[in-house]
Amino acid sequence: MKAPKQVIEELNQLEIKMAAYKNALATMSWDGATFAPKNSVNDRAQAMGIIGGEAFKLTTSDELDELLKAIEENPQDYDKKAKVRAELLRRDYKRTTCIPVEEFMEFMSLQAKSSAAWEKAKEEDDFAYFAPYLKKVIGFVKSFATYFDSKTPVYDTLLDEYERGLNTIVLDEFFADLKAELVPLIRMASSSDKKENIERLYADFKSKKYDVNIQRELTGDLCDAISIDKDSCSYTQSVHPFTSGTHRTNTRFTTVYREKDLQMSVYSSLHEGGHAKYEMGLNPVDDYTCLSNGVSMAVHESQSRFYENNIGRSSEYSKTLYNLVKKRFPEQMAGYTSEDFFTIANRSTPTLIRVQADELTYCLHIMVRYEMEKLMFNSEIDVDDLPKLWNDKYEEYLGIVPPNNALGILQDVHWSEGLMGYFPSYALGSAYASQFETTMRKEMDFDGMLKSGDLTQINKWMSEKVHLIGSNKTPSQIIEDATGEPFSAKYYIDYLKRKYTKIYG
Amino acid sequence: MKAPKQVIEELNQLEIKMAAYKNALATMSWDGATFAPKNSVNDRAQAMGIIGGEAFKLTTSDELDELLKAIEENPQDYDKKAKVRAELLRRDYKRTTCIPVEEFMEFMSLQAKSSAAWEKAKEEDDFAYFAPYLKKVIGFVKSFATYFDSKTPVYDTLLDEYERGLNTIVLDEFFADLKAELVPLIRMASSSDKKENIERLYADFKSKKYDVNIQRELTGDLCDAISIDKDSCSYTQSVHPFTSGTHRTNTRFTTVYREKDLQMSVYSSLHEGGHAKYEMGLNPVDDYTCLSNGVSMAVHESQSRFYENNIGRSSEYSKTLYNLVKKRFPEQMAGYTSEDFFTIANRSTPTLIRVQADELTYCLHIMVRYEMEKLMFNSEIDVDDLPKLWNDKYEEYLGIVPPNNALGILQDVHWSEGLMGYFPSYALGSAYASQFETTMRKEMDFDGMLKSGDLTQINKWMSEKVHLIGSNKTPSQIIEDATGEPFSAKYYIDYLKRKYTKIYG
């Protein structure tokens, strides 16, 4: 039997090697999304396939299995960190090795075809063309979840994959609360007397032009405002904004620059900046181990939403943002007050497309997807019936009906790739952020800090309660330890009610 | 014994795998030079070390050795391409496997220390501090060359590494010819009556400001002008301009943008554009084999110099460039004619620093280094005597003496890293370019094409005679087949005399 010290040393070396492969893949993928010439797609795909295959061998290697067993079988010889590492690595190991190789290969091949079919179906508004692929994808996802855990209901296994410990009991309650409170709130905003003025203000703001090179400078100002160390984090643009990090010192995000949409780059930068701060704030002692990762999709999203919405779209911080924007675009901002800027940033109206949704309506888009995913996995719904169901739900929750499936059920790529159980984390992230804010409000003069523009104490709180924890705790434990109570939808609902009553009430 | 078809198939797969690793390394290295945040240097170095180690295992693997043996031992069973591949791969295999592993590791560690020592020595103008490292580096380079080939003089082995077939007999003649003709030409230019006017014109041009964002657009115009397909080649900026290519479709170059130095970005873009055209013009049938590489440093440099100098700095093409620049910078160009533009681009004056040298004096900088490298390896010179020798040669060839070693012998990084035998290819590249030009002049109305700005036929010539050949022939064979005769310095000297007599005569 290997001595524990030896086991940890070997595990460290193996994780460093795994990290090197992840680094290569992340860099190639980043390059592909930002800078690489268009025609390089096949060259990169081939290289990433090969490097990815080697990385896969490491994460499913007997060497890893034996090191994990050594820890699992003699827990008394190892400290807490070692045990959490073993648990996390075992999850990943099991998730991939539990699937027969041929089935996995078959699914990879289906994924590629299914994504292409989805793209075509979306383009041609032809759900029937995509339906048989979706049926097959659901079949694979079901059996993979069952291989991993044959006792738990399939959809709970899927939810747990993206958010450890999450299940339909938690989410049913969460979305029931949201539905009860948000649907009336959205109705109120839609029929508000103030709506017309807000729409006019918003349209006027959108009619102006904002030089893209200057917007780029503004992104730098925003990084400074939320204390992003630019020596450890770069930024550029891409088609969809995203953040990528291989190490605390090697983080980067993208935003989108549109000449006629200043808000796009401002709030995308704050959103991705929030993700980047999480990556940069991980604990150095966990470097190059699986503990040095954002703990989950939803907790990651809590960071991005917090900097984008709880800070960036607050009435108090809008003044700081307004001043930063005015400095770069004095002419365009001449006719607006910082209150206008706040109102414009929070203009709400029900729309068909999730990624364009405002803060108030966003969660209802997610709720539609959650309910449909539950039906896919926990009952015997026919895939062909999904579009009608989708449209009915949009009408019920948002009061609008997609005129076609391209603007309806075909809008998101996720299902074509087998990413089921992933959507709820988007909504959870916002709710976590508000629960964090509520606790901060008890511990410090939150509004005063936002007004002053000095986020030092807020950043410090987030660093200590979330960033430095990395994956040492479960998501729910992080929420509970940070806020003193288990997760609850209440704070998020209160936050939205307070804000939107102020604007539209 | 494996069937030849099987051998080739396995070699193809192995080369595809090697290419994937090279792709990962090239992308990480590119990212590091262009976009990555400053603090990421250690994270990237660690990952590249690990990925590089895996790549090294492939290029020195028994698997490769056996496949090569199969071809080497039964040449009659294989076509020409297979045999050239075996020859090229064997060279690389031998070069690395001939060195005892411990010695190689020791050298890697020395390299890092020596580079750091060089940097410090340069900063503090302290050659004595660097000298002991340089002595050790020379020692390692000598023994590595001897391991590779104990019969050939060391310096010839080094030259051959960067330019297959090159040796001191060829280079002695080359540099003797250059020296005889260029030293008087440089004297003529330095004492020319026209010098004062040219200097004034040049200083005036340099006093203007050129918006960097507009320079960036101009780089795009230049790509179009020399027919670079931007869907297969991206460009951005970095501290030193360079080109990187992993595949015909995945090429990228950098340039340098300085607000007060338009020429820097214009001629760097044409230079790197020439490199990029070579990478993009490789033959698709050679994809993912070692045949799909620029054949040598010097031939690569012939492409960059050709587009930068033979085209870009020609009196005939200057009109096209002038018009492109004028369109982007109408105010700044208002006071100049296209003849001025040509003159400014070719202003020549002896300077101390190689990378800032103009076309006329450049090769003499290389000659100094060549002569010193010969002394290092073929005679018993004391490293401590090198600075004096350096300064004497600068005085003799260029008529100027470095005031200190930082501006003299310590200016280049190459020797600290053991890159000896590399410098001559810079000069050879220019000479190759002029020999190509001379042949083109016989086969087409070269000046007429430059004047028209339509480079179609010139590009086609270069594509057929150089790019598509890749590494299927040796450098000297490429020159001979393209121009109908062996390499000669004559055409380069004629070219420089013609141009500089026109400007300064």
Side-chain angles (χ1 to χ4, degrees):
Chain A
M1 206 178 74
K2 277 177 191 158
K5 214 181 139 187
Q6 171 79 1
V7 169
I8 294 300
E9 181 48 35
E10 288 182 21
L11 190 62
N12 288 346
Q13 287 310 315
L14 188 59
E15 285 219 69
I16 284 174
K17 196 165 173 184
M18 285 157 67
Y21 277 92
K22 272 189 214 156
N23 191 319
L25 291 165
T27 308
M28 287 193 270
S29 156
W30 166 265
D31 179 66
T34 57
F35 186 78
K38 199 175 111 188
N39 293 342
S40 65
V41 56
N42 291 331
D43 178 53
R44 187 168 41 261
Q46 175 174 291
M48 287 184 72
I50 291 165
I51 300 290
E54 297 297 313
F56 184 80
K57 281 183 203 161
L58 290 176
T59 52
T60 57
S61 64
D62 293 343
E63 188 192 349
L64 177 63
D65 187 33
E66 274 158 35
L67 293 170
L68 298 183
K69 269 187 196 144
I71 301 173
E72 288 156 352
E73 288 165 7
N74 305 283
Q76 71 288 348
D77 295 343
Y78 294 89
D79 65 7
K80 180 99 195 292
K81 273 193 188 293
K83 279 178 274 201
V84 178
R85 281 170 79 181
E87 192 192 329
L88 294 174
L89 290 166
R90 176 60 77 194
R91 253 172 80 92
D92 288 347
Y93 177 88
K94 191 179 160 193
R95 211 175 284 283
T96 34
T97 54
C98 72
I99 303 168
V101 175
E102 307 72 48
E103 257 178 78
F104 188 76
M105 301 298 282
E106 222 180 303
F107 178 63
M108 297 284 275
S109 153
L110 171 64
Q111 250 184 340
K113 285 180 213 148
S114 166
S115 297
W118 165 75
E119 226 174 289
K120 189 173 146 76
K122 185 180 174 181
E123 222 175 272
E124 300 174 4
D125 182 27
D126 182 3
F127 182 79
Y129 181 78
F130 175 55
Y133 294 93
L134 181 56
K135 270 178 216 170
K136 278 187 208 160
V137 169
I138 293 173
F140 273 100
V141 170
K142 262 186 195 169
S143 45
F144 291 175
T146 313
Y147 287 136
F148 182 73
D149 181 350
S150 58
K151 288 173 204 136
T152 306
V154 165
Y155 193 52
D156 282 346
T157 302
L158 298 179
L159 292 171
D160 178 84
E161 178 170 353
Y162 300 105
E163 192 74 4
R164 248 185 307 159
L166 188 63
N167 57 43
T168 47
I169 298 174
V170 176
L171 281 181
D172 280 347
E173 196 189 322
F174 173 62
F175 282 116
D177 290 352
L178 282 186
K179 184 152 103 179
E181 302 276 0
L182 295 193
V183 172
L185 195 58
I186 291 168
R187 295 255 155 86
M188 181 280 285
S190 289
S191 59
S192 161
D193 292 347
K194 296 183 180 169
K195 191 176 167 74
E196 205 185 312
N197 274 338
I198 295 172
E199 289 298 307
R200 202 178 304 124
L201 191 67
Y202 180 79
D204 183 57
F205 190 83
K206 285 272 192 177
S207 71
K208 299 197 163 37
K209 281 189 181 177
Y210 303 87
D211 183 279
V212 162
N213 286 320
I214 303 178
Q215 287 195 49
R216 221 169 259 134
E217 307 283 326
L218 181 60
T219 302
D221 302 340
L222 296 173
C223 286
D224 294 339
I226 62 170
S227 296
I228 282 181
D229 175 4
K230 288 178 204 149
D231 284 345
S232 296
C233 179
S234 301
Y235 59 88
T236 187
Q237 61 197 320
S238 63
V239 179
H240 303 288
F242 71 102
T243 300
S244 168
T246 63
H247 185 258
R248 294 173 291 110
T249 60
N250 199 354
T251 302
R252 50 284 294 284
F253 71 83
T254 68
T255 183
V256 170
Y257 296 111
R258 292 197 190 124
E259 201 181 46
K260 299 200 71 176
D261 192 350
L262 179 73
Q263 292 188 305
M264 171 61 90
S265 79
V266 167
Y267 294 100
S268 291
S269 298
L270 290 174
H271 180 101
E272 301 306 328
H275 282 306
K277 281 181 79 68
Y278 193 5
E279 292 292 318
M280 296 164 79
L282 293 163
N283 197 333
V285 305
D286 295 329
D287 269 1
Y288 300 111
T289 73
C290 58
L291 303 174
S292 183
N293 275 318
V295 69
S296 73
M297 255 293 298
V299 176
H300 232 306
E301 201 66 9
S302 79
Q303 299 307 297
S304 55
R305 300 272 167 173
F306 181 78
Y307 283 92
E308 176 192 356
N309 293 331
N310 299 67
I311 293 184
R313 285 197 169 88
S314 70
S315 136
E316 293 75 19
Y317 197 73
S318 284
K319 178 132 200 179
T320 298
L321 283 187
Y322 170 80
N323 287 334
L324 289 175
V325 171
K326 197 169 180 175
K327 222 165 155 183
R328 295 287 179 187
F329 295 105
E331 276 179 45
Q332 291 91 326
M333 297 304 287
Y336 304 106
T337 63
S338 71
E339 288 73 30
D340 293 337
F341 196 79
F342 164 69
T343 305
I344 291 160
N346 289 290
R347 172 254 189 180
S348 172
T349 196
T351 52
L352 293 168
I353 305 296
R354 176 182 61 84
V355 296
Q356 294 166 4
D358 55 72
E359 199 184 351
L360 175 59
T361 57
Y362 188 84
C363 280
L364 297 185
H365 290 263
I366 299 302
M367 192 164 73
V368 172
R369 287 150 179 85
Y370 169 66
E371 291 178 359
M372 297 193 68
E373 287 184 347
K374 271 207 310 183
L375 288 171
M376 279 180 209
F377 292 101
N378 291 350
S379 58
E380 289 305 313
I381 184 136
D382 192 331
V383 160
D384 302 324
D385 295 336
L386 292 176
K388 186 177 178 316
L389 250 171
W390 177 286
N391 293 352
D392 289 350
K393 286 181 191 295
Y394 264 77
E395 183 163 25
E396 186 189 345
Y397 306 151
L398 287 155
I400 48 176
V401 183
N404 58 48
N405 289 325
L407 294 170
I409 192 166
L410 288 170
Q411 68 183 265
D412 296 307
V413 68
H414 303 59
W415 291 344
S416 73
E417 293 179 350
L419 285 173
M420 282 90 162
Y422 185 100
F423 280 121
S425 39
Y426 289 125
L428 267 187
S430 297
Y432 289 171
S434 289
Q435 187 159 338
F436 291 144
E437 179 187 319
T438 308
T439 306
M440 284 188 213
R441 287 186 175 279
K442 290 178 199 153
E443 298 176 10
M444 61 180 91
D445 175 15
F446 190 77
D447 285 340
M449 282 163 193
L450 293 190
K451 271 184 201 152
S452 76
D454 180 355
L455 306 178
T456 312
Q457 260 190 269
I458 293 171
N459 289 334
K460 190 166 171 279
W461 191 98
M462 212 49 121
S463 159
E464 286 168 5
K465 309 283 184 179
V466 181
H467 302 177
L468 284 168
I469 313 298
S471 295
N472 282 280
K473 297 179 189 170
T474 62
S476 55
Q477 198 60 53
I478 290 174
I479 308 302
E480 199 164 336
D481 289 352
T483 66
E485 56 185 309
F487 167 64
S488 156
K490 183 170 60 175
Y491 306 108
Y492 182 44
I493 293 169
D494 288 349
Y495 159 86
L496 288 175
K497 275 169 107 170
R498 205 165 55 237
K499 186 197 270 192
Y500 284 95
T501 309
K502 189 169 170 180
I503 301 171
Y504 283 97
Chain B
M1 206 179 73
K2 278 175 190 160
K5 213 180 141 187
Q6 171 80 1
V7 168
I8 294 300
E9 181 49 33
E10 289 182 21
L11 190 62
N12 288 345
Q13 287 311 315
L14 188 60
E15 285 220 70
I16 285 174
K17 196 167 174 185
M18 286 158 66
Y21 278 92
K22 273 189 214 154
N23 191 319
L25 291 165
T27 308
M28 287 192 271
S29 157
W30 166 265
D31 179 66
T34 57
F35 186 78
K38 200 176 112 188
N39 293 342
S40 65
V41 56
N42 291 330
D43 178 53
R44 188 168 40 261
Q46 174 174 292
M48 287 183 72
I50 290 166
I51 300 291
E54 296 298 314
F56 184 80
K57 281 182 202 161
L58 290 176
T59 51
T60 58
S61 63
D62 293 344
E63 188 192 349
L64 176 63
D65 188 34
E66 275 158 34
L67 293 170
L68 297 183
K69 271 186 195 144
I71 301 173
E72 288 157 352
E73 288 166 7
N74 303 283
Q76 71 288 349
D77 294 343
Y78 294 88
D79 65 8
K80 180 100 194 296
K81 275 193 188 291
K83 278 178 275 201
V84 178
R85 282 171 78 180
E87 193 191 330
L88 294 174
L89 290 167
R90 177 59 78 195
R91 252 171 81 92
D92 288 346
Y93 177 88
K94 191 179 159 193
R95 210 174 284 283
T96 35
T97 54
C98 72
I99 303 168
V101 175
E102 308 73 47
E103 258 179 78
F104 188 74
M105 301 299 281
E106 223 181 302
F107 178 63
M108 296 284 275
S109 154
L110 171 64
Q111 250 184 341
K113 286 180 212 148
S114 167
S115 297
W118 165 76
E119 225 174 290
K120 188 173 146 78
K122 185 180 174 184
E123 222 175 273
E124 300 174 5
D125 182 29
D126 181 3
F127 183 79
Y129 180 78
F130 175 55
Y133 294 94
L134 181 56
K135 270 179 216 171
K136 278 188 207 160
V137 168
I138 292 173
F140 273 101
V141 170
K142 261 186 195 168
S143 44
F144 291 176
T146 313
Y147 287 137
F148 183 72
D149 181 349
S150 60
K151 288 173 204 136
T152 307
V154 165
Y155 194 53
D156 282 346
T157 302
L158 298 179
L159 291 171
D160 177 86
E161 179 171 353
Y162 300 104
E163 191 73 5
R164 248 186 306 162
L166 187 63
N167 56 43
T168 48
I169 298 174
V170 176
L171 282 182
D172 281 347
E173 196 189 322
F174 172 61
F175 282 115
D177 289 353
L178 282 187
K179 184 152 102 180
E181 301 276 2
L182 296 193
V183 173
L185 196 58
I186 290 168
R187 297 253 156 86
M188 180 280 285
S190 290
S191 59
S192 160
D193 293 345
K194 297 184 181 167
K195 190 176 169 71
E196 205 186 313
N197 275 338
I198 295 173
E199 290 297 308
R200 201 178 305 125
L201 191 65
Y202 181 77
D204 183 58
F205 190 83
K206 285 271 192 180
S207 71
K208 299 197 162 37
K209 282 190 180 176
Y210 303 86
D211 183 280
V212 162
N213 286 319
I214 303 177
Q215 286 194 52
R216 218 169 262 134
E217 307 283 326
L218 181 60
T219 302
D221 302 340
L222 296 172
C223 286
D224 294 340
I226 63 171
S227 296
I228 283 181
D229 175 4
K230 289 179 204 151
D231 285 343
S232 296
C233 179
S234 300
Y235 59 89
T236 187
Q237 60 197 319
S238 63
V239 179
H240 304 288
F242 72 102
T243 300
S244 168
T246 62
H247 185 257
R248 294 174 291 110
T249 59
N250 198 354
T251 302
R252 52 284 292 287
F253 71 83
T254 68
T255 182
V256 170
Y257 296 110
R258 292 196 191 125
E259 201 182 46
K260 298 201 71 175
D261 192 351
L262 179 74
Q263 292 188 305
M264 171 60 89
S265 79
V266 167
Y267 295 100
S268 290
S269 298
L270 290 173
H271 181 100
E272 301 306 329
H275 282 306
K277 282 180 78 70
Y278 194 4
E279 292 291 317
M280 296 164 78
L282 293 163
N283 197 333
V285 305
D286 295 329
D287 269 0
Y288 299 111
T289 73
C290 59
L291 303 174
S292 182
N293 276 317
V295 70
S296 73
M297 256 292 298
V299 176
H300 232 305
E301 202 66 10
S302 78
Q303 299 307 298
S304 54
R305 301 271 167 174
F306 182 78
Y307 283 92
E308 176 192 355
N309 292 332
N310 300 66
I311 292 184
R313 286 196 168 88
S314 70
S315 134
E316 293 74 18
Y317 196 72
S318 285
K319 178 132 201 181
T320 297
L321 284 187
Y322 170 80
N323 287 333
L324 288 175
V325 172
K326 197 168 180 176
K327 221 166 157 182
R328 295 287 178 186
F329 295 105
E331 276 179 44
Q332 290 90 327
M333 297 304 288
Y336 303 105
T337 63
S338 71
E339 288 72 30
D340 293 337
F341 196 79
F342 163 69
T343 305
I344 291 162
N346 289 289
R347 172 255 189 181
S348 172
T349 196
T351 52
L352 294 168
I353 305 295
R354 177 183 60 86
V355 296
Q356 295 165 3
D358 55 71
E359 199 183 351
L360 176 57
T361 57
Y362 188 84
C363 281
L364 297 184
H365 290 262
I366 299 301
M367 193 164 71
V368 172
R369 287 151 180 82
Y370 169 67
E371 292 179 359
M372 296 194 68
E373 287 183 347
K374 269 207 309 184
L375 289 170
M376 279 181 210
F377 292 101
N378 290 351
S379 57
E380 289 305 313
I381 185 137
D382 192 332
V383 161
D384 303 324
D385 296 336
L386 292 176
K388 187 179 176 314
L389 252 171
W390 177 286
N391 294 352
D392 289 349
K393 286 182 188 296
Y394 263 78
E395 184 164 25
E396 184 188 346
Y397 305 153
L398 287 155
I400 48 176
V401 183
N404 58 48
N405 289 325
L407 293 169
I409 192 167
L410 287 170
Q411 68 183 264
D412 296 308
V413 69
H414 302 60
W415 291 343
S416 73
E417 292 178 351
L419 286 173
M420 282 91 163
Y422 185 101
F423 280 121
S425 38
Y426 290 125
L428 268 185
S430 297
Y432 289 171
S434 288
Q435 187 159 338
F436 291 145
E437 179 187 320
T438 308
T439 305
M440 284 188 211
R441 287 186 176 279
K442 291 178 199 151
E443 298 176 9
M444 61 180 91
D445 175 14
F446 190 77
D447 285 340
M449 280 163 195
L450 293 189
K451 271 183 200 151
S452 75
D454 180 355
L455 305 178
T456 313
Q457 259 190 271
I458 294 171
N459 289 334
K460 188 166 173 279
W461 192 98
M462 213 49 119
S463 160
E464 286 167 4
K465 308 283 183 179
V466 181
H467 302 177
L468 284 169
I469 313 299
S471 295
N472 283 281
K473 298 179 188 170
T474 62
S476 55
Q477 198 59 53
I478 289 174
I479 309 301
E480 197 163 337
D481 289 353
T483 67
E485 57 185 307
F487 168 64
S488 157
K490 183 171 62 176
Y491 306 108
Y492 183 44
I493 294 169
D494 288 349
Y495 159 86
L496 289 174
K497 277 168 105 169
R498 204 165 55 237
K499 186 198 270 193
Y500 285 94
T501 310
K502 189 168 171 181
I503 300 170
Y504 284 96

